[in-house]
Amino acid sequence: MNAMKQILGCIRKADQDYGMIADQDRIAVGVSGGKDSMLLLYCLHLYQQFCTRIQSKQFEVVGIHIQMGFPNMDFTEAESFFRQRGIRLELVPSRIYDILKIQSNEDGSLKCSLCSTLKKGAVNRAAKDFGCTKVAFAHHGDDAIETLLMNAIYGGRLATFAPKMYLSNAEMPFIRPFIYARENQIRAAVGACGVPVVPSTCPMDGFTRRQDMKEMLEHLYTEYPMARDNFLLMLHNEKQLSLWHKENPEDEEVLISKSKS
C-alpha cells in the first residue's frame, strides 16, 4: 500500500497548494478506462473519506465515462469494481468516433486534438447534467512535462497545462489532482490495489507525438537521472524563472509586419 500512500500524498499536496477541492463540491472525474483515470476516481474516493474524517471537508465524486464508440470497449469489470466499493460511475453514450471518422486526416488517421476537444466537451456537459461543481482529469506530472516539450518543439513557446483553471466556455472549474504524481507511481498503485484497466481500442493509441515525447524523455532520464525530479520542479519553481525580456517588443512586431507585406 506504500504506492497508494504516495499517490494520496500527491493529491493532498496538490489540493493544499492550489485549493482544488472545496467543502460540498461534487467532482466529476473523466474516466477513459486507462490506468490514470481509473486510479484517479478510486483515489479521490479514498481522499474523500480522509477529508471527511480528518479535515471535516465533505465532497462527492462522480465518475463519468464517455462511450466514444470505439469497437470492443468492455467496461463490465470496471463497473463491477466501482460498484462494489460504492463509487458512482456513469456511462454516457456519444457519437464521437463517428465524428472523428468523418473528420479524419487525408491518410485516414484520426485527429487526436479534435478527439480531446470533443471528449472534454462531452464530459463537461455530462458534469452539468449530474449537478457537478468541478471536473477532474487525470493528467499527471509526466504529462505536464511532455506538454511543455511539445509546446516548445512544435509551437516555440514555454507553456504547459495549469493545475487548476476555469473553463469559461463550459462555465466549469477544471482541476488536475495528479499533477505531483508520476506515471511510474500511478502504475505501481494500480498494480498494488488491483484497479482494473480497460485496454484502449483507439486506432491511434501509441502512435502520437506525445508518445514520441515519452520515449525521448525516458532516454534522457537514463542519461541524466536527476532530470526526472528537476523537470517537475521547474514547472512550479517560480522564484528561479529567468527568460528573456525585450525592451521594445513593439519594434519587432513592426518589423515582422513589414517583412510579410
Side-chain angles (χ1 to χ4, degrees):
M1 292 299 291
N2 185 52
M4 182 60 75
K5 287 182 179 180
Q6 288 181 346
I7 293 293
L8 291 173
C10 291
I11 292 177
R12 186 181 184 186
K13 178 172 172 55
D15 186 20
Q16 290 174 339
D17 285 355
Y18 300 100
M20 291 190 175
I21 302 172
D23 189 38
Q24 303 303 316
D25 265 344
R26 177 179 292 173
I27 301 174
V29 181
V31 179
S32 66
K35 66 182 188 311
D36 304 337
S37 61
M38 295 289 282
L39 185 67
L40 179 61
L41 178 57
Y42 182 47
C43 284
L44 282 181
H45 170 72
L46 297 179
Y47 185 60
Q48 169 197 35
Q49 295 176 327
F50 166 81
C51 289
T52 301
R53 186 174 65 254
I54 305 298
Q55 299 181 347
S56 298
K57 178 169 69 174
Q58 298 185 6
F59 63 94
E60 298 178 53
V61 179
V62 180
I64 296 178
H65 170 64
I66 303 300
Q67 296 175 307
M68 307 283 284
F70 296 133
N72 303 317
M73 287 284 288
D74 185 0
F75 251 72
T76 304
E77 186 179 358
E79 287 184 277
S80 176
F81 177 87
F82 291 121
R83 183 173 57 251
Q84 290 173 7
R85 289 157 180 78
I87 302 173
R88 182 178 173 186
L89 175 64
E90 300 284 349
L91 273 58
V92 180
S94 80
R95 295 184 58 251
I96 291 179
Y97 186 37
D98 292 334
I99 296 172
L100 292 174
K101 288 188 290 185
I102 294 172
Q103 298 290 332
S104 64
N105 295 310
E106 292 183 1
D107 61 359
S109 61
L110 304 182
K111 297 178 179 178
C112 296
S113 58
L114 176 61
C115 179
S116 177
T117 299
L118 293 174
K119 183 168 61 176
K120 287 179 181 177
V123 171
N124 290 333
R125 286 190 296 273
K128 286 189 174 182
D129 290 341
F130 295 125
C132 296
T133 57
K134 287 188 175 86
V135 170
F137 271 25
H139 302 124
H140 49 70
D142 290 302
D143 287 328
I145 295 166
E146 292 157 14
T147 299
L148 179 75
L149 290 183
M150 289 173 67
N151 283 328
I153 293 171
Y154 296 106
R157 61 194 182 99
L158 291 178
T160 190
F161 52 70
K164 174 184 175 183
M165 60 189 295
Y166 183 77
L167 301 176
S168 55
N169 292 340
E171 298 181 334
M172 181 73 71
F174 187 94
I175 60 175
R176 294 179 168 98
F178 271 174
I179 52 161
Y180 288 134
R182 308 305 297 251
E183 189 168 16
N184 60 347
Q185 293 176 315
I186 291 172
R187 189 177 293 109
V190 165
C193 298
V195 176
V197 175
V198 182
S200 173
T201 60
C202 170
M204 297 301 295
D205 190 47
F207 298 94
T208 63
R209 288 178 175 176
R210 184 168 295 277
Q211 183 62 33
D212 293 340
M213 294 300 107
K214 286 181 183 292
E215 294 173 5
M216 182 177 72
L217 282 166
E218 282 304 318
H219 176 72
L220 189 148
Y221 294 152
T222 300
E223 295 291 325
Y224 307 98
M226 76 292 292
R228 189 182 294 273
D229 290 334
N230 283 337
F231 277 8
L232 185 58
L233 172 62
M234 74 178 174
L235 296 182
H236 57 92
N237 191 7
E238 296 178 271
K239 293 181 180 179
Q240 307 253 344
L241 178 64
S242 180
L243 294 174
W244 297 350
H245 295 281
K246 297 176 183 175
E247 294 184 9
N248 298 298
E250 297 84 3
D251 293 344
E252 180 174 318
E253 292 177 6
V254 172
L255 290 173
I256 293 174
S257 177
K258 288 182 177 180
S259 67
K260 290 182 178 179
S261 61

